[in-house]
């Protein structure tokens, strides 16, 4: 059964839960990071499921893939922010990074399926 909306797609569901984890993780960042790393990491993380949702609604293949690719870029951006967070000793990031890798693999697979369906 094809998904009728983005909320039914497992990839989006996992990415959304990951964003919630990112928000919880950054709650304990130093206050001086509120407009720095905290904001950057949260915005990049939100961009992953948001761009997937936007791409899901697009009718053209190239439009769909462009938004999915933006989601991939945001995921890589988050990977760097998580490395930086770890190196600044703001918290343990291995679980968040593992989930980001899972999302990346799922997104790559989803994009391949979309490409081949046309």
């Amino acid at each position: 059964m094809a998904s009728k909306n983005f909320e039914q797609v497992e990839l989006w569901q996992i990415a959304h839960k990951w964003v919630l984890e990112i928000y919880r993780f950054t709650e304990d960042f130093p206050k001086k990071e509120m407009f720095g790393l905290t904001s950057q990491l949260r915005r990049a993380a939100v961009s992953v499921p948001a761009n997937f949702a936007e791409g899901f609604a697009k009718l053209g293949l190239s439009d769909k893939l462009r938004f999915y690719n933006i989601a991939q870029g945001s995921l890589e951006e988050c990977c760097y922010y998580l490395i930086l967070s770890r190196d600044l000793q703001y918290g343990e990031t291995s679980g968040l990074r593992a989930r980001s890798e899972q999302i990346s693999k799922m997104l790559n697979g989803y994009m391949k399926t979309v490409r081949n369906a046309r």
Side-chain angles (χ1 to χ4, degrees):
M1 175 180 105
S3 301
K4 293 184 191 258
N5 64 57
F6 67 86
E7 290 179 278
Q8 294 177 335
V9 180
E10 182 184 18
L11 163 58
W12 181 88
Q13 294 168 1
I14 291 171
H16 176 68
K17 287 177 186 171
W18 177 76
V19 170
L20 297 175
E21 290 180 67
I22 292 286
Y23 266 73
R24 285 190 290 276
F25 172 67
T26 57
E27 282 176 0
D28 294 329
F29 278 18
K31 294 298 174 214
K32 66 183 178 185
E33 291 291 0
M34 183 58 69
F35 300 105
L37 186 56
T38 302
S39 176
Q40 289 293 108
L41 177 52
R42 286 178 173 187
R43 288 183 331 151
V46 166
S47 177
V48 176
N51 276 291
F52 178 83
E54 190 164 354
F56 187 89
K58 297 296 181 181
L59 297 177
L61 177 63
S62 62
D63 280 344
K64 281 185 177 300
L65 294 175
R66 185 171 38 119
F67 281 98
Y68 297 157
N69 186 248
I70 292 168
Q72 285 177 315
S74 294
L75 202 50
E76 288 302 309
E77 185 179 355
C78 287
C79 183
Y80 169 67
Y81 294 144
L82 290 170
I83 291 168
L84 181 59
S85 299
R86 178 201 64 206
D87 291 350
L88 290 169
Q89 299 179 349
Y90 290 167
E92 172 55 45
T93 63
S94 60
L96 289 167
R97 291 195 57 205
R99 279 182 287 294
S100 73
E101 289 173 21
Q102 175 192 15
I103 295 165
S104 180
K105 288 177 185 174
M106 291 178 79
L107 187 53
N108 287 333
Y110 195 89
M111 290 176 71
K112 185 177 179 180
T113 299
V114 168
R115 260 190 231 103
N116 293 337
R118 301 286 166 139

